Short mmCIF file of all heavy atoms in Angstrom, two decimals:
data_model
loop_
_atom_site.label_atom_id
_atom_site.label_comp_id
_atom_site.label_asym_id
_atom_site.label_seq_id
_atom_site.Cartn_x
_atom_site.Cartn_y
_atom_site.Cartn_z
N LYS B 1 87.21 98.54 90.74
CA LYS B 1 86.28 99.50 90.14
C LYS B 1 86.95 100.27 89.02
O LYS B 1 86.33 100.55 87.98
CB LYS B 1 85.75 100.46 91.20
CG LYS B 1 84.76 99.81 92.15
CD LYS B 1 84.30 100.79 93.20
CE LYS B 1 83.35 100.11 94.18
NZ LYS B 1 82.97 100.99 95.28
N GLN B 2 88.23 100.61 89.20
CA GLN B 2 88.96 101.33 88.15
C GLN B 2 89.11 100.46 86.90
O GLN B 2 88.96 100.93 85.79
CB GLN B 2 90.34 101.75 88.66
CG GLN B 2 90.29 102.87 89.67
CD GLN B 2 91.67 103.17 90.23
OE1 GLN B 2 92.34 102.29 90.76
NE2 GLN B 2 92.08 104.41 90.12
N VAL B 3 89.41 99.17 87.11
CA VAL B 3 89.57 98.25 85.98
C VAL B 3 88.24 98.08 85.25
O VAL B 3 88.19 98.13 84.02
CB VAL B 3 90.13 96.89 86.45
CG1 VAL B 3 90.07 95.86 85.33
CG2 VAL B 3 91.56 97.05 86.95
N LEU B 4 87.16 97.90 86.00
CA LEU B 4 85.84 97.74 85.38
C LEU B 4 85.44 99.00 84.61
O LEU B 4 84.88 98.92 83.51
CB LEU B 4 84.80 97.40 86.44
CG LEU B 4 84.92 96.01 87.07
CD1 LEU B 4 84.00 95.88 88.28
CD2 LEU B 4 84.66 94.93 86.05
N SER B 5 85.74 100.15 85.17
CA SER B 5 85.44 101.41 84.51
C SER B 5 86.24 101.54 83.21
O SER B 5 85.71 101.97 82.18
CB SER B 5 85.74 102.57 85.45
OG SER B 5 85.60 103.80 84.77
N LEU B 6 87.51 101.16 83.26
CA LEU B 6 88.36 101.21 82.07
C LEU B 6 87.80 100.26 81.00
O LEU B 6 87.73 100.61 79.82
CB LEU B 6 89.80 100.83 82.42
CG LEU B 6 90.79 100.86 81.27
CD1 LEU B 6 90.99 102.29 80.76
CD2 LEU B 6 92.13 100.28 81.70
N TYR B 7 87.38 99.06 81.42
CA TYR B 7 86.82 98.08 80.49
C TYR B 7 85.58 98.65 79.80
O TYR B 7 85.45 98.59 78.57
CB TYR B 7 86.47 96.80 81.24
CG TYR B 7 85.89 95.71 80.37
CD1 TYR B 7 86.62 95.16 79.32
CD2 TYR B 7 84.62 95.22 80.60
CE1 TYR B 7 86.10 94.16 78.53
CE2 TYR B 7 84.09 94.20 79.81
CZ TYR B 7 84.84 93.68 78.77
OH TYR B 7 84.32 92.69 77.99
N ARG B 8 84.68 99.24 80.57
CA ARG B 8 83.47 99.83 79.97
C ARG B 8 83.83 100.96 79.01
O ARG B 8 83.23 101.08 77.94
CB ARG B 8 82.52 100.32 81.07
CG ARG B 8 81.79 99.19 81.78
CD ARG B 8 80.68 99.70 82.69
NE ARG B 8 81.17 100.54 83.76
CZ ARG B 8 81.56 100.11 84.96
NH1 ARG B 8 81.53 98.83 85.23
NH2 ARG B 8 81.98 100.96 85.87
N SER B 9 84.81 101.77 79.38
CA SER B 9 85.24 102.87 78.51
C SER B 9 85.82 102.33 77.20
O SER B 9 85.56 102.88 76.12
CB SER B 9 86.29 103.73 79.21
OG SER B 9 85.74 104.35 80.34
N PHE B 10 86.60 101.25 77.29
CA PHE B 10 87.15 100.63 76.09
C PHE B 10 86.03 100.11 75.19
O PHE B 10 86.08 100.29 73.97
CB PHE B 10 88.08 99.46 76.45
CG PHE B 10 89.54 99.81 76.39
CD1 PHE B 10 90.26 100.01 77.56
CD2 PHE B 10 90.21 99.91 75.18
CE1 PHE B 10 91.60 100.32 77.51
CE2 PHE B 10 91.55 100.21 75.12
CZ PHE B 10 92.26 100.43 76.29
N LEU B 11 85.03 99.47 75.79
CA LEU B 11 83.93 98.92 74.98
C LEU B 11 83.18 100.04 74.28
O LEU B 11 82.83 99.91 73.10
CB LEU B 11 82.98 98.10 75.86
CG LEU B 11 83.56 96.80 76.43
CD1 LEU B 11 82.53 96.10 77.29
CD2 LEU B 11 84.06 95.88 75.33
N ARG B 12 82.94 101.15 74.98
CA ARG B 12 82.25 102.29 74.35
C ARG B 12 83.10 102.87 73.23
O ARG B 12 82.60 103.16 72.14
CB ARG B 12 81.94 103.36 75.39
CG ARG B 12 80.73 103.05 76.24
CD ARG B 12 80.27 104.27 77.04
NE ARG B 12 81.26 104.73 78.01
CZ ARG B 12 81.38 104.25 79.25
NH1 ARG B 12 80.56 103.30 79.67
NH2 ARG B 12 82.28 104.72 80.07
N ALA B 13 84.39 103.04 73.47
CA ALA B 13 85.27 103.66 72.48
C ALA B 13 85.47 102.75 71.26
O ALA B 13 85.67 103.23 70.15
CB ALA B 13 86.63 103.99 73.11
N GLY B 14 85.42 101.43 71.48
CA GLY B 14 85.67 100.50 70.38
C GLY B 14 84.45 100.17 69.54
O GLY B 14 84.57 99.55 68.48
N LYS B 15 83.27 100.61 69.99
CA LYS B 15 82.03 100.27 69.29
C LYS B 15 82.03 100.67 67.82
O LYS B 15 81.62 99.90 66.98
CB LYS B 15 80.84 100.92 69.98
CG LYS B 15 80.10 99.97 70.86
CD LYS B 15 78.82 100.57 71.37
CE LYS B 15 78.21 99.59 72.35
NZ LYS B 15 77.54 100.21 73.45
N GLY B 16 82.47 101.85 67.51
CA GLY B 16 82.41 102.33 66.13
C GLY B 16 83.58 101.92 65.27
O GLY B 16 83.71 102.37 64.14
N LYS B 17 84.45 101.09 65.81
CA LYS B 17 85.66 100.70 65.07
C LYS B 17 85.67 99.19 64.86
O LYS B 17 85.82 98.44 65.82
CB LYS B 17 86.89 101.17 65.84
CG LYS B 17 86.87 102.69 66.02
CD LYS B 17 88.13 103.24 66.59
CE LYS B 17 87.97 104.74 66.78
NZ LYS B 17 89.13 105.48 66.46
N PRO B 18 85.46 98.75 63.63
CA PRO B 18 85.36 97.32 63.34
C PRO B 18 86.57 96.52 63.83
O PRO B 18 87.71 96.92 63.65
CB PRO B 18 85.26 97.26 61.82
CG PRO B 18 84.86 98.63 61.40
CD PRO B 18 85.39 99.58 62.45
N GLY B 19 86.29 95.39 64.45
CA GLY B 19 87.34 94.48 64.87
C GLY B 19 87.96 94.77 66.22
O GLY B 19 88.77 93.99 66.71
N PHE B 20 87.58 95.87 66.84
CA PHE B 20 88.21 96.25 68.10
C PHE B 20 87.65 95.50 69.30
O PHE B 20 88.38 95.13 70.21
CB PHE B 20 88.07 97.76 68.34
CG PHE B 20 89.11 98.58 67.63
CD1 PHE B 20 89.12 98.65 66.25
CD2 PHE B 20 90.07 99.27 68.32
CE1 PHE B 20 90.06 99.40 65.58
CE2 PHE B 20 91.02 100.03 67.66
CZ PHE B 20 91.02 100.09 66.29
N LEU B 21 86.33 95.29 69.33
CA LEU B 21 85.70 94.71 70.52
C LEU B 21 86.23 93.31 70.88
O LEU B 21 86.53 93.07 72.05
CB LEU B 21 84.18 94.70 70.37
CG LEU B 21 83.53 96.08 70.38
CD1 LEU B 21 82.01 95.98 70.26
CD2 LEU B 21 83.91 96.89 71.60
N PRO B 22 86.38 92.39 69.91
CA PRO B 22 86.93 91.07 70.29
C PRO B 22 88.34 91.17 70.87
O PRO B 22 88.68 90.46 71.82
CB PRO B 22 86.94 90.29 68.97
CG PRO B 22 85.96 90.99 68.09
CD PRO B 22 85.98 92.43 68.51
N GLN B 23 89.14 92.06 70.34
CA GLN B 23 90.51 92.23 70.82
C GLN B 23 90.51 92.81 72.24
O GLN B 23 91.29 92.40 73.09
CB GLN B 23 91.27 93.15 69.85
CG GLN B 23 92.76 93.01 69.93
CD GLN B 23 93.45 93.76 68.79
OE1 GLN B 23 92.84 94.18 67.83
NE2 GLN B 23 94.74 93.94 68.92
N ILE B 24 89.63 93.77 72.48
CA ILE B 24 89.52 94.38 73.81
C ILE B 24 89.09 93.32 74.83
O ILE B 24 89.70 93.19 75.89
CB ILE B 24 88.51 95.56 73.78
CG1 ILE B 24 89.09 96.72 72.96
CG2 ILE B 24 88.15 96.00 75.19
CD1 ILE B 24 88.08 97.78 72.57
N ARG B 25 88.04 92.57 74.48
CA ARG B 25 87.55 91.53 75.40
C ARG B 25 88.63 90.50 75.70
O ARG B 25 88.81 90.09 76.85
CB ARG B 25 86.32 90.86 74.80
CG ARG B 25 85.09 91.72 74.87
CD ARG B 25 83.84 90.94 74.48
NE ARG B 25 82.69 91.82 74.47
CZ ARG B 25 82.12 92.29 73.36
NH1 ARG B 25 82.58 91.95 72.18
NH2 ARG B 25 81.08 93.09 73.45
N ALA B 26 89.34 90.08 74.66
CA ALA B 26 90.38 89.06 74.83
C ALA B 26 91.49 89.55 75.76
O ALA B 26 91.98 88.81 76.61
CB ALA B 26 90.95 88.66 73.47
N GLU B 27 91.88 90.80 75.60
CA GLU B 27 92.95 91.36 76.43
C GLU B 27 92.52 91.41 77.90
O GLU B 27 93.28 91.03 78.79
CB GLU B 27 93.32 92.77 75.93
CG GLU B 27 94.40 93.45 76.72
CD GLU B 27 95.79 92.85 76.53
OE1 GLU B 27 95.99 92.04 75.60
OE2 GLU B 27 96.68 93.19 77.33
N PHE B 28 91.30 91.86 78.15
CA PHE B 28 90.83 91.93 79.54
C PHE B 28 90.64 90.54 80.13
O PHE B 28 90.95 90.31 81.30
CB PHE B 28 89.54 92.76 79.63
CG PHE B 28 89.81 94.25 79.76
CD1 PHE B 28 90.01 95.02 78.64
CD2 PHE B 28 89.88 94.85 81.00
CE1 PHE B 28 90.27 96.38 78.74
CE2 PHE B 28 90.14 96.21 81.12
CZ PHE B 28 90.34 96.98 79.99
N GLN B 29 90.15 89.58 79.34
CA GLN B 29 89.99 88.21 79.83
C GLN B 29 91.33 87.60 80.18
O GLN B 29 91.47 86.93 81.21
CB GLN B 29 89.26 87.34 78.80
CG GLN B 29 87.78 87.65 78.75
CD GLN B 29 87.07 86.90 77.64
OE1 GLN B 29 87.68 86.44 76.69
NE2 GLN B 29 85.76 86.80 77.75
N LYS B 30 92.33 87.85 79.35
CA LYS B 30 93.67 87.33 79.62
C LYS B 30 94.21 87.89 80.93
O LYS B 30 94.74 87.17 81.77
CB LYS B 30 94.61 87.68 78.45
CG LYS B 30 96.01 87.14 78.61
CD LYS B 30 96.92 87.65 77.52
CE LYS B 30 97.22 89.10 77.81
NZ LYS B 30 98.32 89.69 77.14
N ASN B 31 94.04 89.19 81.12
CA ASN B 31 94.58 89.84 82.31
C ASN B 31 93.74 89.57 83.56
O ASN B 31 94.19 89.83 84.67
CB ASN B 31 94.75 91.34 82.08
CG ASN B 31 95.90 91.62 81.15
OD1 ASN B 31 96.89 90.88 81.11
ND2 ASN B 31 95.80 92.68 80.38
#
C-alpha cells in the first residue's frame, strides 16, 4: 500500500513536468 501510494503521488507530482511520467513509470515497473 505504501508503494502504491508513493507511485500515485509521483504520477500526480510529475503531471505538470514534461518527460517525467514515462521515467516514473519505467522506474516503478523495473522495481
Side-chain angles (χ1 to χ4, degrees):
K1 287 178 182 175
Q2 288 175 304
V3 170
L4 290 170
S5 174
L6 181 66
Y7 180 62
R8 285 190 298 271
S9 296
F10 260 104
L11 292 179
R12 281 193 296 274
K15 260 188 185 145
K17 301 188 183 219
F20 278 67
L21 292 181
Q23 202 170 347
I24 290 166
R25 285 189 184 105
E27 180 70 13
F28 275 85
Q29 285 174 340
K30 182 186 74 163
N31 288 329

